Short mmCIF file of all heavy atoms in Angstrom, two decimals:
data_model
loop_
_atom_site.label_atom_id
_atom_site.label_comp_id
_atom_site.label_asym_id
_atom_site.label_seq_id
_atom_site.Cartn_x
_atom_site.Cartn_y
_atom_site.Cartn_z
N SER A 134 5.16 13.87 27.93
CA SER A 134 3.85 14.00 28.59
C SER A 134 3.20 15.35 28.31
O SER A 134 2.00 15.54 28.57
CB SER A 134 3.99 13.80 30.10
OG SER A 134 4.80 14.82 30.66
N GLU A 135 3.98 16.31 27.80
CA GLU A 135 3.45 17.64 27.52
C GLU A 135 2.86 17.76 26.10
O GLU A 135 2.27 18.78 25.76
CB GLU A 135 4.54 18.70 27.72
CG GLU A 135 5.09 18.75 29.14
CD GLU A 135 6.30 19.65 29.28
OE1 GLU A 135 6.36 20.66 28.54
OE2 GLU A 135 7.19 19.35 30.10
N LEU A 136 3.05 16.72 25.31
CA LEU A 136 2.47 16.72 23.97
C LEU A 136 0.97 16.49 24.04
O LEU A 136 0.46 15.91 24.99
CB LEU A 136 3.11 15.61 23.13
CG LEU A 136 4.60 15.73 22.82
CD1 LEU A 136 5.09 14.45 22.18
CD2 LEU A 136 4.88 16.92 21.92
N ARG A 137 0.28 16.92 23.00
CA ARG A 137 -1.16 16.68 22.92
C ARG A 137 -1.54 16.41 21.46
O ARG A 137 -0.86 16.86 20.54
CB ARG A 137 -1.96 17.86 23.47
CG ARG A 137 -1.89 19.12 22.62
CD ARG A 137 -2.67 20.26 23.30
NE ARG A 137 -2.81 21.43 22.45
CZ ARG A 137 -1.89 22.36 22.27
NH1 ARG A 137 -0.73 22.26 22.91
NH2 ARG A 137 -2.12 23.38 21.46
N LEU A 138 -2.63 15.69 21.29
CA LEU A 138 -3.22 15.47 19.98
C LEU A 138 -4.40 16.41 19.86
O LEU A 138 -5.31 16.40 20.70
CB LEU A 138 -3.69 14.02 19.85
CG LEU A 138 -4.39 13.63 18.54
CD1 LEU A 138 -3.40 13.69 17.37
CD2 LEU A 138 -5.00 12.24 18.66
N ALA A 139 -4.39 17.27 18.83
CA ALA A 139 -5.44 18.28 18.71
C ALA A 139 -5.74 18.56 17.25
O ALA A 139 -4.93 18.27 16.36
CB ALA A 139 -5.02 19.56 19.42
N THR A 140 -6.90 19.15 17.02
CA THR A 140 -7.31 19.55 15.68
C THR A 140 -7.09 21.05 15.52
O THR A 140 -7.45 21.83 16.40
CB THR A 140 -8.80 19.23 15.44
OG1 THR A 140 -8.99 17.82 15.55
CG2 THR A 140 -9.24 19.70 14.06
N LEU A 141 -6.48 21.43 14.41
CA LEU A 141 -6.28 22.85 14.09
C LEU A 141 -7.20 23.19 12.93
O LEU A 141 -7.14 22.56 11.87
CB LEU A 141 -4.83 23.12 13.72
CG LEU A 141 -4.51 24.57 13.33
CD1 LEU A 141 -4.70 25.50 14.52
CD2 LEU A 141 -3.09 24.68 12.78
N SER A 142 -8.03 24.19 13.12
CA SER A 142 -8.95 24.64 12.08
C SER A 142 -8.70 26.12 11.82
O SER A 142 -9.07 26.97 12.63
CB SER A 142 -10.40 24.41 12.53
OG SER A 142 -11.31 24.80 11.53
N GLU A 143 -8.05 26.44 10.70
CA GLU A 143 -7.64 27.82 10.43
C GLU A 143 -8.57 28.54 9.46
O GLU A 143 -8.72 29.75 9.52
CB GLU A 143 -6.21 27.84 9.88
CG GLU A 143 -5.17 27.42 10.91
CD GLU A 143 -3.77 27.46 10.35
OE1 GLU A 143 -3.48 26.70 9.39
OE2 GLU A 143 -2.94 28.23 10.88
N GLY A 144 -9.16 27.83 8.51
CA GLY A 144 -10.05 28.49 7.56
C GLY A 144 -9.30 29.37 6.57
O GLY A 144 -8.26 29.00 6.04
N ARG A 145 -9.82 30.57 6.34
CA ARG A 145 -9.25 31.49 5.35
C ARG A 145 -7.87 31.98 5.80
O ARG A 145 -7.72 32.51 6.91
CB ARG A 145 -10.20 32.67 5.16
CG ARG A 145 -9.82 33.67 4.06
CD ARG A 145 -9.78 33.05 2.69
NE ARG A 145 -11.02 32.43 2.27
CZ ARG A 145 -11.97 33.06 1.60
NH1 ARG A 145 -11.85 34.34 1.27
NH2 ARG A 145 -13.06 32.40 1.22
N CYS A 146 -6.88 31.81 4.91
CA CYS A 146 -5.50 32.18 5.24
C CYS A 146 -4.82 32.82 4.04
O CYS A 146 -5.16 32.54 2.89
CB CYS A 146 -4.69 30.94 5.65
SG CYS A 146 -5.22 30.11 7.15
N LEU A 147 -3.82 33.62 4.32
CA LEU A 147 -2.89 34.12 3.31
C LEU A 147 -1.59 33.36 3.47
O LEU A 147 -1.12 33.14 4.59
CB LEU A 147 -2.65 35.62 3.49
CG LEU A 147 -3.82 36.53 3.11
CD1 LEU A 147 -3.59 37.94 3.63
CD2 LEU A 147 -3.99 36.55 1.58
N GLN A 148 -0.98 32.95 2.34
CA GLN A 148 0.22 32.13 2.40
C GLN A 148 1.20 32.52 1.30
O GLN A 148 0.81 32.79 0.17
CB GLN A 148 -0.15 30.65 2.26
CG GLN A 148 1.03 29.70 2.31
CD GLN A 148 0.58 28.26 2.44
OE1 GLN A 148 -0.05 27.90 3.43
NE2 GLN A 148 0.90 27.42 1.47
N THR A 149 2.49 32.53 1.66
CA THR A 149 3.55 32.79 0.69
C THR A 149 4.75 31.92 1.00
O THR A 149 4.84 31.31 2.09
CB THR A 149 3.97 34.28 0.71
OG1 THR A 149 4.78 34.56 -0.44
CG2 THR A 149 4.76 34.63 1.96
N LEU A 150 5.69 31.87 0.08
CA LEU A 150 6.94 31.14 0.28
C LEU A 150 8.05 32.12 0.58
O LEU A 150 8.23 33.11 -0.14
CB LEU A 150 7.29 30.33 -0.97
CG LEU A 150 8.64 29.60 -0.93
CD1 LEU A 150 8.61 28.47 0.09
CD2 LEU A 150 9.00 29.05 -2.32
N HIS A 151 8.80 31.84 1.64
CA HIS A 151 9.99 32.64 1.97
C HIS A 151 11.21 31.78 1.75
O HIS A 151 11.29 30.65 2.24
CB HIS A 151 9.94 33.11 3.42
CG HIS A 151 11.21 33.74 3.88
ND1 HIS A 151 11.62 34.99 3.44
CD2 HIS A 151 12.19 33.30 4.72
CE1 HIS A 151 12.77 35.29 4.00
NE2 HIS A 151 13.14 34.29 4.78
N THR A 152 12.18 32.29 0.99
CA THR A 152 13.45 31.59 0.77
C THR A 152 14.56 32.39 1.43
O THR A 152 14.74 33.58 1.13
CB THR A 152 13.75 31.42 -0.73
OG1 THR A 152 12.69 30.68 -1.34
CG2 THR A 152 15.05 30.66 -0.93
N GLY A 153 15.30 31.76 2.33
CA GLY A 153 16.37 32.44 3.03
C GLY A 153 16.31 32.20 4.52
O GLY A 153 15.48 31.41 5.01
N PRO A 154 17.19 32.86 5.28
CA PRO A 154 17.24 32.67 6.73
C PRO A 154 15.91 33.05 7.40
O PRO A 154 15.20 33.94 6.93
CB PRO A 154 18.36 33.62 7.18
CG PRO A 154 19.17 33.86 5.95
CD PRO A 154 18.22 33.80 4.81
N TYR A 155 15.62 32.36 8.49
CA TYR A 155 14.40 32.69 9.25
C TYR A 155 14.44 34.14 9.73
O TYR A 155 13.41 34.81 9.80
CB TYR A 155 14.26 31.76 10.45
CG TYR A 155 14.26 30.29 10.09
CD1 TYR A 155 15.06 29.38 10.79
CD2 TYR A 155 13.47 29.80 9.06
CE1 TYR A 155 15.06 28.03 10.47
CE2 TYR A 155 13.46 28.46 8.73
CZ TYR A 155 14.26 27.57 9.44
OH TYR A 155 14.25 26.24 9.12
N THR A 156 15.64 34.64 10.03
CA THR A 156 15.77 35.99 10.54
C THR A 156 15.44 37.05 9.49
O THR A 156 15.31 38.23 9.83
CB THR A 156 17.19 36.23 11.08
OG1 THR A 156 18.14 35.83 10.08
CG2 THR A 156 17.44 35.43 12.35
N ASP A 157 15.34 36.65 8.23
CA ASP A 157 15.01 37.60 7.16
C ASP A 157 13.51 37.67 6.88
O ASP A 157 13.09 38.32 5.91
CB ASP A 157 15.74 37.22 5.86
CG ASP A 157 17.24 37.50 5.94
OD1 ASP A 157 17.68 38.10 6.94
OD2 ASP A 157 17.97 37.11 5.00
N GLU A 158 12.70 37.02 7.71
CA GLU A 158 11.26 37.02 7.47
C GLU A 158 10.60 38.34 7.87
O GLU A 158 9.51 38.65 7.38
CB GLU A 158 10.59 35.89 8.25
CG GLU A 158 10.95 34.50 7.76
CD GLU A 158 10.36 33.42 8.65
OE1 GLU A 158 9.53 33.77 9.53
OE2 GLU A 158 10.69 32.24 8.47
N ALA A 159 11.23 39.10 8.75
CA ALA A 159 10.59 40.29 9.31
C ALA A 159 10.06 41.26 8.25
O ALA A 159 8.91 41.70 8.34
CB ALA A 159 11.54 41.00 10.27
N PRO A 160 10.83 41.62 7.21
CA PRO A 160 10.30 42.53 6.20
C PRO A 160 9.11 41.96 5.44
O PRO A 160 8.19 42.69 5.06
CB PRO A 160 11.49 42.77 5.26
CG PRO A 160 12.70 42.43 6.06
CD PRO A 160 12.26 41.32 6.97
N VAL A 161 9.12 40.64 5.23
CA VAL A 161 8.00 39.99 4.54
C VAL A 161 6.74 40.11 5.37
O VAL A 161 5.65 40.42 4.86
CB VAL A 161 8.33 38.51 4.26
CG1 VAL A 161 7.17 37.83 3.52
CG2 VAL A 161 9.61 38.38 3.45
N LEU A 162 6.87 39.88 6.67
CA LEU A 162 5.71 39.97 7.56
C LEU A 162 5.26 41.41 7.74
O LEU A 162 4.06 41.68 7.84
CB LEU A 162 6.06 39.34 8.91
CG LEU A 162 6.36 37.84 8.87
CD1 LEU A 162 6.74 37.33 10.25
CD2 LEU A 162 5.18 37.06 8.31
N ALA A 163 6.21 42.35 7.76
CA ALA A 163 5.84 43.76 7.86
C ALA A 163 5.00 44.18 6.66
O ALA A 163 4.01 44.91 6.80
CB ALA A 163 7.09 44.63 7.99
N ASN A 164 5.38 43.71 5.49
CA ASN A 164 4.63 44.01 4.27
C ASN A 164 3.23 43.40 4.35
O ASN A 164 2.23 44.03 3.94
CB ASN A 164 5.37 43.48 3.05
CG ASN A 164 4.66 43.78 1.75
OD1 ASN A 164 4.39 44.93 1.43
ND2 ASN A 164 4.33 42.73 1.00
N LEU A 165 3.15 42.19 4.88
CA LEU A 165 1.84 41.54 5.05
C LEU A 165 0.95 42.34 5.98
O LEU A 165 -0.22 42.62 5.67
CB LEU A 165 2.04 40.13 5.60
CG LEU A 165 0.77 39.39 6.02
CD1 LEU A 165 -0.09 39.06 4.81
CD2 LEU A 165 1.11 38.13 6.81
N HIS A 166 1.49 42.72 7.12
CA HIS A 166 0.70 43.41 8.14
C HIS A 166 0.32 44.83 7.72
O HIS A 166 -0.81 45.28 7.97
CB HIS A 166 1.48 43.48 9.46
CG HIS A 166 1.82 42.14 10.02
ND1 HIS A 166 2.67 41.97 11.09
CD2 HIS A 166 1.43 40.88 9.65
CE1 HIS A 166 2.79 40.68 11.37
NE2 HIS A 166 2.06 40.01 10.50
N ASP A 167 1.26 45.55 7.09
CA ASP A 167 1.08 46.98 6.82
C ASP A 167 0.46 47.28 5.46
O ASP A 167 -0.14 48.34 5.27
CB ASP A 167 2.43 47.70 6.92
CG ASP A 167 3.05 47.58 8.30
OD1 ASP A 167 2.30 47.31 9.26
OD2 ASP A 167 4.28 47.74 8.42
N ARG A 168 0.59 46.34 4.50
CA ARG A 168 0.08 46.63 3.16
C ARG A 168 -0.92 45.59 2.65
O ARG A 168 -2.05 45.90 2.31
CB ARG A 168 1.24 46.75 2.16
CG ARG A 168 0.79 47.21 0.78
CD ARG A 168 1.93 47.19 -0.23
NE ARG A 168 2.42 45.86 -0.50
CZ ARG A 168 1.82 45.00 -1.35
NH1 ARG A 168 0.70 45.35 -1.97
NH2 ARG A 168 2.34 43.81 -1.56
N VAL A 169 -0.48 44.32 2.64
CA VAL A 169 -1.31 43.28 2.02
C VAL A 169 -2.64 43.12 2.73
O VAL A 169 -3.72 43.16 2.09
CB VAL A 169 -0.55 41.94 1.98
CG1 VAL A 169 -1.44 40.84 1.41
CG2 VAL A 169 0.72 42.07 1.15
N MET A 170 -2.61 42.95 4.04
CA MET A 170 -3.85 42.73 4.78
C MET A 170 -4.78 43.94 4.73
O MET A 170 -5.99 43.79 4.45
CB MET A 170 -3.55 42.28 6.21
CG MET A 170 -2.97 40.87 6.27
SD MET A 170 -2.33 40.38 7.91
CE MET A 170 -3.80 40.51 8.91
#
Side-chain angles (χ1 to χ4, degrees):
S134 64
E135 299 172 32
L136 295 171
R137 69 183 189 279
L138 178 67
T140 298
L141 179 65
S142 182
E143 292 180 297
R145 185 62 57 91
C146 296
L147 288 167
Q148 180 169 298
T149 193
L150 176 68
H151 171 71
T152 301
Y155 304 133
T156 50
D157 288 354
E158 292 175 9
V161 181
L162 296 178
N164 181 57
L165 172 68
H166 299 171
D167 299 339
R168 187 186 65 80
V169 176
M170 290 171 61

